[in-house]
Amino acid sequence: MITGRRQNTPCNKKKVFSIPHLLQMSWHPQYRSSKFRHVFGKAASKENCYDSVPITRSVHDNHFCAVNPHFIAVVTECAGGGAFLVIPLHQTGKLDPHYPKVCGHRGNVLDIKWNPFNDFQIASCSEDATIKIWDIPKQLLTRNLTTYSKELVGHARRVGLVEWHPTAASILFSSGYDYKVMIWNLDTKEPVIMSPVKTIACHQDVILSMSFNTNGSLLATACKDRKIRIIDPRLGTVRQEASYKGHRANKVLFLGSMKKLLSTGTSRWNNRQMALWSQEDLSVPLTEEDLDGSSGVLFPFYDPDTNMLYVVGKGDGNIRYYEVSADKPHLNYLTEYRSYNPQKGIGVMPKRGLDVSSCEIFRFYKLITTKSLIEPVSMIVPRRSESYQEDIYPPTAGAQPSLSAQEWLSGMDRDPVLMSLRPGSQLVSPQPLPPERPLSTSGASASSSPLRPTASSSPLGPTAKLAADGGRRPCSLPEGKVTSWTTERQQEEKKSWLTNGFDVFECPPPKTENELLQMFYRQQEEIRRLRELVTQREVQAKQLELEIKNLQMSLGQF
């Protein structure tokens, strides 16, 4: 009886009903549906790794690795200066100890980055206070590459970071130990550039990280003075500055178009920590999350197509990945890839180089110094169907700039030119290969002027432009088109005999194992190129059919 009276009191009633009310007020969902909940990491087999690679032993907190669909570049150990290796992506297995290097710096190489719009051009910075631009030949290197295309001289002390602009062609950013960020315009014929187009001198200490927003109009930096800054790079002014005492940032990253930043660093108690910030207010982070007590730097990578965040720890073998959302909780932990092999650095393949047939959404290249090994790790969405999965591959940034250097410097902003990852849906070709471009008029103009906005960035596609012009442009089709078709076909037939400077019919048989391997790699490259050529021909045939239909429709109006 006494217990029953206690249950009927108003106080006890309030206590009983407070728990459901709290559950209703809580913003933590009990179950969260996501197509990426079961993403798993898959390490490559031994024969698909790069073995016996002399990886650098530098103590700098950089990636030391850069990857594109053609090459993997790795900073290496070198006596008497700095050097890095450029290895064809298909050349897996054990590396020749006398493999040629790219060397020309007088000090250790600290950072390397591929040009996002030219798969055969790479930038490197060094302790000798210079930045060098290298044009990598399409054939295999037979000796050390010491001739650079451009040298940028402007920093007073060693240069620690380089970053290419995400949408403008020929714009490069560099930061050095002189606490300055310099903007370089490479659209010039001068081999040595002595002065940058802009110098940003708002930092009080060494810059540890740089990141651009989607269209490249803002630059975020993490500095050794424990401050995160959002800078207008063309004006050189600081838009926002974070001086939050509870988080010491080492790396900072723009989260695509979500108007948020993510930083990794350490907390007051020296725990490794992540912090999420609003782009409009850097006074207090939106959320903080402690990870562990290790001392290695955390490298964050964000995929704007899937809204997935990957956090890679230096000195350990783990890769944590999260799904980022605009609502609370902003960071949704998915799972973790674990490995016993600690990584010294990390490289990331661009989305256009992924294997969509196996539902691969991200690929890392782990630098394992203890084994002199580079190990690819693929992030895969498990799907039963072998067809193309449209929902996990939205249009992504392609290999074409949306702005020229002068347009961006004059104040223009434009989003990246998007492409589809569906096989055969859109021609993907780097700028140094104009003969393999489609035969449409818009494609020809884009290849003749690489610094202009491409046809895919305009609101009207090539088909719509032909219809809008009333059929005036296709009038030159019987003469101009046939001539260009014949010329390109002759070039393609000639290329089929001579690929990458290698004559298939007149080459003597290999005498050594190394020559046999080189011939095998060249044959693999020939097969890959012929497959791409077949895909290009199919796209060209479809484009010609559309142009003929538009010509018939425009002539029918008259």
Side-chain angles (χ1 to χ4, degrees), residues 52-97:
S52 302
V53 181
I55 302 168
T56 181
R57 301 190 181 276
S58 173
V59 296
H60 281 267
D61 294 326
N62 287 345
H63 296 162
F64 298 124
C65 180
V67 189
N68 68 22
H70 291 86
F71 301 103
I72 174 171
V74 187
V75 180
T76 183
E77 288 293 314
C78 180
F84 59 95
L85 298 169
V86 175
I87 308 170
L89 203 67
H90 56 77
Q91 190 172 332
T92 56
K94 191 172 183 179
L95 189 71
D96 186 354

Short mmCIF file of all heavy atoms in Angstrom, two decimals, residues 52-97:
data_model
loop_
_atom_site.label_atom_id
_atom_site.label_comp_id
_atom_site.label_asym_id
_atom_site.label_seq_id
_atom_site.Cartn_x
_atom_site.Cartn_y
_atom_site.Cartn_z
N SER A 52 59.98 -2.60 -52.78
CA SER A 52 61.38 -2.13 -52.84
C SER A 52 61.46 -0.67 -53.27
O SER A 52 62.33 -0.28 -54.04
CB SER A 52 62.20 -3.01 -53.79
OG SER A 52 62.18 -4.36 -53.38
N VAL A 53 60.54 0.15 -52.78
CA VAL A 53 60.55 1.60 -53.09
C VAL A 53 61.28 2.32 -51.96
O VAL A 53 60.85 2.22 -50.79
CB VAL A 53 59.11 2.13 -53.23
CG1 VAL A 53 59.14 3.61 -53.57
CG2 VAL A 53 58.36 1.35 -54.30
N PRO A 54 62.36 3.04 -52.25
CA PRO A 54 63.08 3.76 -51.19
C PRO A 54 62.34 5.02 -50.75
O PRO A 54 62.60 6.13 -51.22
CB PRO A 54 64.44 4.09 -51.84
CG PRO A 54 64.15 4.13 -53.30
CD PRO A 54 63.03 3.16 -53.56
N ILE A 55 61.39 4.88 -49.84
CA ILE A 55 60.55 5.98 -49.38
C ILE A 55 61.36 6.91 -48.49
O ILE A 55 62.23 6.48 -47.73
CB ILE A 55 59.32 5.44 -48.64
CG1 ILE A 55 58.53 4.49 -49.55
CG2 ILE A 55 58.41 6.55 -48.16
CD1 ILE A 55 57.48 3.68 -48.83
N THR A 56 61.10 8.20 -48.59
CA THR A 56 61.83 9.19 -47.80
C THR A 56 61.64 8.95 -46.30
O THR A 56 60.60 8.45 -45.86
CB THR A 56 61.36 10.60 -48.15
OG1 THR A 56 62.10 11.55 -47.38
CG2 THR A 56 59.88 10.79 -47.88
N ARG A 57 62.65 9.34 -45.55
CA ARG A 57 62.59 9.25 -44.09
C ARG A 57 62.48 10.64 -43.45
O ARG A 57 62.81 10.82 -42.28
CB ARG A 57 63.81 8.51 -43.56
CG ARG A 57 63.92 7.11 -44.12
CD ARG A 57 64.98 6.28 -43.43
NE ARG A 57 65.05 4.95 -44.02
CZ ARG A 57 64.28 3.93 -43.69
NH1 ARG A 57 63.35 4.09 -42.77
NH2 ARG A 57 64.42 2.74 -44.27
N SER A 58 62.01 11.60 -44.22
CA SER A 58 61.84 12.95 -43.70
C SER A 58 60.80 12.96 -42.58
O SER A 58 59.84 12.17 -42.58
CB SER A 58 61.40 13.89 -44.82
OG SER A 58 61.07 15.17 -44.33
N VAL A 59 60.97 13.87 -41.64
CA VAL A 59 60.06 13.94 -40.49
C VAL A 59 58.94 14.95 -40.70
O VAL A 59 58.15 15.19 -39.79
CB VAL A 59 60.86 14.30 -39.20
CG1 VAL A 59 61.84 13.21 -38.88
CG2 VAL A 59 61.57 15.64 -39.36
N HIS A 60 58.86 15.57 -41.87
CA HIS A 60 57.79 16.53 -42.13
C HIS A 60 56.44 15.82 -42.22
O HIS A 60 56.36 14.66 -42.64
CB HIS A 60 58.07 17.28 -43.43
CG HIS A 60 59.07 18.38 -43.28
ND1 HIS A 60 58.74 19.68 -43.02
CD2 HIS A 60 60.42 18.34 -43.32
CE1 HIS A 60 59.84 20.40 -42.93
NE2 HIS A 60 60.88 19.62 -43.11
N ASP A 61 55.40 16.54 -41.83
CA ASP A 61 54.05 15.97 -41.80
C ASP A 61 53.33 16.25 -43.11
O ASP A 61 52.32 16.95 -43.16
CB ASP A 61 53.27 16.53 -40.61
CG ASP A 61 53.86 16.10 -39.28
OD1 ASP A 61 54.37 14.97 -39.21
OD2 ASP A 61 53.82 16.89 -38.33
N ASN A 62 53.87 15.70 -44.20
CA ASN A 62 53.25 15.83 -45.51
C ASN A 62 52.88 14.45 -46.04
O ASN A 62 53.23 13.42 -45.45
CB ASN A 62 54.21 16.53 -46.49
CG ASN A 62 54.32 18.02 -46.21
OD1 ASN A 62 53.52 18.59 -45.48
ND2 ASN A 62 55.34 18.65 -46.77
N HIS A 63 52.20 14.45 -47.19
CA HIS A 63 51.74 13.18 -47.75
C HIS A 63 52.86 12.39 -48.40
O HIS A 63 52.82 11.16 -48.43
CB HIS A 63 50.63 13.44 -48.78
CG HIS A 63 49.41 14.05 -48.20
ND1 HIS A 63 48.44 14.68 -48.97
CD2 HIS A 63 48.96 14.14 -46.92
CE1 HIS A 63 47.46 15.12 -48.19
NE2 HIS A 63 47.76 14.80 -46.95
N PHE A 64 53.84 13.08 -49.01
CA PHE A 64 54.99 12.47 -49.69
C PHE A 64 54.59 11.57 -50.85
O PHE A 64 55.40 10.78 -51.33
CB PHE A 64 55.86 11.67 -48.71
CG PHE A 64 56.46 12.50 -47.62
CD1 PHE A 64 56.24 12.17 -46.28
CD2 PHE A 64 57.23 13.60 -47.90
CE1 PHE A 64 56.80 12.93 -45.27
CE2 PHE A 64 57.79 14.38 -46.88
CZ PHE A 64 57.57 14.04 -45.57
N CYS A 65 53.36 11.67 -51.30
CA CYS A 65 52.88 10.81 -52.39
C CYS A 65 51.79 11.54 -53.15
O CYS A 65 50.94 12.22 -52.53
CB CYS A 65 52.35 9.49 -51.83
SG CYS A 65 51.74 8.34 -53.07
N ALA A 66 51.82 11.44 -54.47
CA ALA A 66 50.80 12.05 -55.32
C ALA A 66 50.44 11.06 -56.42
O ALA A 66 51.33 10.42 -56.99
CB ALA A 66 51.29 13.37 -55.93
N VAL A 67 49.14 10.92 -56.70
CA VAL A 67 48.66 9.89 -57.63
C VAL A 67 47.71 10.52 -58.63
O VAL A 67 46.96 11.44 -58.30
CB VAL A 67 47.93 8.76 -56.86
CG1 VAL A 67 47.64 7.58 -57.78
CG2 VAL A 67 48.74 8.29 -55.66
N ASN A 68 47.77 10.04 -59.88
CA ASN A 68 46.76 10.36 -60.88
C ASN A 68 46.50 9.09 -61.70
O ASN A 68 47.13 8.06 -61.45
CB ASN A 68 47.19 11.56 -61.75
CG ASN A 68 48.38 11.28 -62.64
OD1 ASN A 68 48.69 10.13 -62.96
ND2 ASN A 68 49.07 12.31 -63.07
N PRO A 69 45.58 9.10 -62.66
CA PRO A 69 45.27 7.85 -63.37
C PRO A 69 46.41 7.26 -64.20
O PRO A 69 46.28 6.15 -64.71
CB PRO A 69 44.10 8.26 -64.28
CG PRO A 69 43.45 9.39 -63.57
CD PRO A 69 44.56 10.14 -62.92
N HIS A 70 47.53 7.98 -64.32
CA HIS A 70 48.65 7.47 -65.10
C HIS A 70 49.87 7.09 -64.25
O HIS A 70 50.55 6.11 -64.55
CB HIS A 70 49.09 8.49 -66.15
CG HIS A 70 48.10 8.70 -67.25
ND1 HIS A 70 47.05 9.60 -67.15
CD2 HIS A 70 47.97 8.13 -68.47
CE1 HIS A 70 46.34 9.58 -68.26
NE2 HIS A 70 46.88 8.69 -69.08
N PHE A 71 50.17 7.90 -63.22
CA PHE A 71 51.42 7.73 -62.48
C PHE A 71 51.17 7.80 -60.98
O PHE A 71 50.17 8.35 -60.51
CB PHE A 71 52.43 8.84 -62.84
CG PHE A 71 52.80 8.91 -64.30
CD1 PHE A 71 52.26 9.89 -65.12
CD2 PHE A 71 53.69 8.00 -64.85
CE1 PHE A 71 52.60 9.97 -66.46
CE2 PHE A 71 54.04 8.06 -66.18
CZ PHE A 71 53.49 9.05 -67.00
N ILE A 72 52.15 7.26 -60.25
CA ILE A 72 52.25 7.48 -58.82
C ILE A 72 53.63 8.07 -58.56
O ILE A 72 54.65 7.53 -59.02
CB ILE A 72 52.02 6.16 -58.03
CG1 ILE A 72 52.27 6.40 -56.54
CG2 ILE A 72 52.88 5.02 -58.55
CD1 ILE A 72 51.85 5.23 -55.66
N ALA A 73 53.66 9.20 -57.86
CA ALA A 73 54.91 9.89 -57.55
C ALA A 73 55.17 9.79 -56.05
O ALA A 73 54.26 10.01 -55.24
CB ALA A 73 54.84 11.36 -57.99
N VAL A 74 56.41 9.47 -55.68
CA VAL A 74 56.78 9.25 -54.28
C VAL A 74 58.10 9.96 -54.01
O VAL A 74 59.07 9.81 -54.77
CB VAL A 74 56.92 7.75 -53.96
CG1 VAL A 74 57.13 7.55 -52.46
CG2 VAL A 74 55.73 6.96 -54.44
N VAL A 75 58.16 10.72 -52.93
CA VAL A 75 59.41 11.35 -52.51
C VAL A 75 60.33 10.25 -51.98
O VAL A 75 59.92 9.39 -51.20
CB VAL A 75 59.15 12.42 -51.43
CG1 VAL A 75 60.47 13.06 -50.98
CG2 VAL A 75 58.20 13.48 -51.95
N THR A 76 61.58 10.29 -52.42
CA THR A 76 62.51 9.22 -52.11
C THR A 76 63.77 9.76 -51.45
O THR A 76 63.99 10.99 -51.41
CB THR A 76 62.87 8.45 -53.39
OG1 THR A 76 63.71 7.35 -53.06
CG2 THR A 76 63.61 9.34 -54.36
N GLU A 77 64.58 8.85 -50.96
CA GLU A 77 65.87 9.21 -50.40
C GLU A 77 66.88 9.41 -51.53
O GLU A 77 66.92 8.65 -52.49
CB GLU A 77 66.37 8.10 -49.47
CG GLU A 77 65.61 8.01 -48.16
CD GLU A 77 65.84 9.22 -47.27
OE1 GLU A 77 66.99 9.64 -47.11
OE2 GLU A 77 64.85 9.75 -46.74
N CYS A 78 67.66 10.47 -51.40
CA CYS A 78 68.63 10.78 -52.44
C CYS A 78 69.80 11.51 -51.82
O CYS A 78 69.61 12.44 -51.02
CB CYS A 78 67.99 11.62 -53.54
SG CYS A 78 69.10 12.06 -54.88
N ALA A 79 71.01 11.11 -52.16
CA ALA A 79 72.21 11.76 -51.64
C ALA A 79 72.54 12.98 -52.50
O ALA A 79 72.49 12.93 -53.72
CB ALA A 79 73.38 10.79 -51.64
N GLY A 80 72.86 14.08 -51.82
CA GLY A 80 73.27 15.28 -52.54
C GLY A 80 72.15 16.05 -53.18
O GLY A 80 72.30 16.59 -54.27
N GLY A 81 70.99 16.12 -52.54
CA GLY A 81 69.87 16.87 -53.09
C GLY A 81 68.56 16.14 -52.86
O GLY A 81 68.51 15.13 -52.15
N GLY A 82 67.51 16.64 -53.47
CA GLY A 82 66.19 16.04 -53.32
C GLY A 82 65.73 15.41 -54.61
O GLY A 82 66.07 15.86 -55.71
N ALA A 83 64.93 14.35 -54.49
CA ALA A 83 64.44 13.64 -55.68
C ALA A 83 63.14 12.95 -55.34
O ALA A 83 62.78 12.77 -54.17
CB ALA A 83 65.47 12.63 -56.17
N PHE A 84 62.41 12.57 -56.38
CA PHE A 84 61.21 11.76 -56.22
C PHE A 84 61.10 10.82 -57.42
O PHE A 84 61.69 11.05 -58.49
CB PHE A 84 59.95 12.61 -56.04
CG PHE A 84 59.66 13.56 -57.18
CD1 PHE A 84 58.81 13.21 -58.21
CD2 PHE A 84 60.24 14.83 -57.21
CE1 PHE A 84 58.53 14.08 -59.24
CE2 PHE A 84 59.97 15.72 -58.25
CZ PHE A 84 59.12 15.34 -59.27
N LEU A 85 60.36 9.75 -57.22
CA LEU A 85 60.15 8.75 -58.25
C LEU A 85 58.79 8.97 -58.91
O LEU A 85 57.82 9.35 -58.26
CB LEU A 85 60.18 7.34 -57.64
CG LEU A 85 61.48 6.88 -56.98
CD1 LEU A 85 61.24 5.59 -56.22
CD2 LEU A 85 62.56 6.67 -58.01
N VAL A 86 58.73 8.73 -60.21
CA VAL A 86 57.47 8.74 -60.96
C VAL A 86 57.33 7.37 -61.60
O VAL A 86 58.07 7.02 -62.53
CB VAL A 86 57.45 9.86 -62.02
CG1 VAL A 86 56.18 9.77 -62.85
CG2 VAL A 86 57.53 11.22 -61.35
N ILE A 87 56.41 6.57 -61.08
CA ILE A 87 56.23 5.19 -61.51
C ILE A 87 54.91 5.07 -62.26
O ILE A 87 53.88 5.55 -61.77
CB ILE A 87 56.23 4.24 -60.29
CG1 ILE A 87 57.47 4.50 -59.41
CG2 ILE A 87 56.17 2.79 -60.72
CD1 ILE A 87 57.42 3.78 -58.07
N PRO A 88 54.90 4.46 -63.46
CA PRO A 88 53.61 4.20 -64.13
C PRO A 88 52.70 3.37 -63.23
O PRO A 88 53.14 2.46 -62.54
CB PRO A 88 54.02 3.44 -65.39
CG PRO A 88 55.43 3.84 -65.64
CD PRO A 88 56.04 4.06 -64.29
N LEU A 89 51.43 3.69 -63.26
CA LEU A 89 50.49 3.09 -62.32
C LEU A 89 50.41 1.58 -62.50
O LEU A 89 50.23 0.85 -61.53
CB LEU A 89 49.11 3.72 -62.49
CG LEU A 89 48.17 3.63 -61.30
CD1 LEU A 89 48.68 4.46 -60.14
CD2 LEU A 89 46.77 4.07 -61.69
N HIS A 90 50.57 1.10 -63.72
CA HIS A 90 50.44 -0.34 -63.96
C HIS A 90 51.73 -1.10 -63.65
O HIS A 90 51.74 -2.32 -63.66
CB HIS A 90 50.06 -0.59 -65.43
CG HIS A 90 51.02 0.03 -66.41
ND1 HIS A 90 52.25 -0.51 -66.68
CD2 HIS A 90 50.93 1.17 -67.14
CE1 HIS A 90 52.87 0.25 -67.57
NE2 HIS A 90 52.09 1.27 -67.86
N GLN A 91 52.82 -0.40 -63.37
CA GLN A 91 54.10 -1.06 -63.14
C GLN A 91 54.23 -1.47 -61.67
O GLN A 91 55.00 -0.91 -60.91
CB GLN A 91 55.26 -0.14 -63.56
CG GLN A 91 56.61 -0.83 -63.58
CD GLN A 91 57.69 0.05 -64.17
OE1 GLN A 91 57.41 0.91 -65.00
NE2 GLN A 91 58.92 -0.14 -63.74
N THR A 92 53.46 -2.46 -61.29
CA THR A 92 53.49 -2.95 -59.92
C THR A 92 54.58 -4.00 -59.77
O THR A 92 55.24 -4.39 -60.72
CB THR A 92 52.12 -3.53 -59.54
OG1 THR A 92 51.77 -4.54 -60.48
CG2 THR A 92 51.06 -2.45 -59.55
N GLY A 93 54.75 -4.49 -58.55
CA GLY A 93 55.78 -5.47 -58.28
C GLY A 93 57.05 -4.83 -57.73
O GLY A 93 57.03 -3.71 -57.22
N LYS A 94 58.12 -5.54 -57.85
CA LYS A 94 59.39 -5.08 -57.31
C LYS A 94 60.01 -4.03 -58.21
O LYS A 94 60.12 -4.21 -59.43
CB LYS A 94 60.34 -6.26 -57.13
CG LYS A 94 61.59 -5.92 -56.32
CD LYS A 94 62.38 -7.17 -56.00
CE LYS A 94 63.59 -6.84 -55.12
NZ LYS A 94 64.37 -8.05 -54.78
N LEU A 95 60.44 -2.92 -57.62
CA LEU A 95 61.01 -1.82 -58.37
C LEU A 95 62.51 -2.05 -58.56
O LEU A 95 63.21 -2.50 -57.65
CB LEU A 95 60.77 -0.50 -57.64
CG LEU A 95 61.13 0.78 -58.40
CD1 LEU A 95 60.14 1.02 -59.53
CD2 LEU A 95 61.12 1.97 -57.45
N ASP A 96 62.98 -1.73 -59.76
CA ASP A 96 64.40 -1.84 -60.06
C ASP A 96 65.18 -0.88 -59.15
O ASP A 96 64.83 0.29 -59.02
CB ASP A 96 64.62 -1.45 -61.53
CG ASP A 96 66.06 -1.68 -61.99
OD1 ASP A 96 66.91 -2.03 -61.15
OD2 ASP A 96 66.32 -1.51 -63.19
N PRO A 97 66.23 -1.36 -58.46
CA PRO A 97 66.99 -0.45 -57.57
C PRO A 97 67.65 0.71 -58.30
O PRO A 97 67.98 1.72 -57.68
CB PRO A 97 68.04 -1.38 -56.94
CG PRO A 97 68.08 -2.59 -57.79
CD PRO A 97 66.73 -2.74 -58.40
#
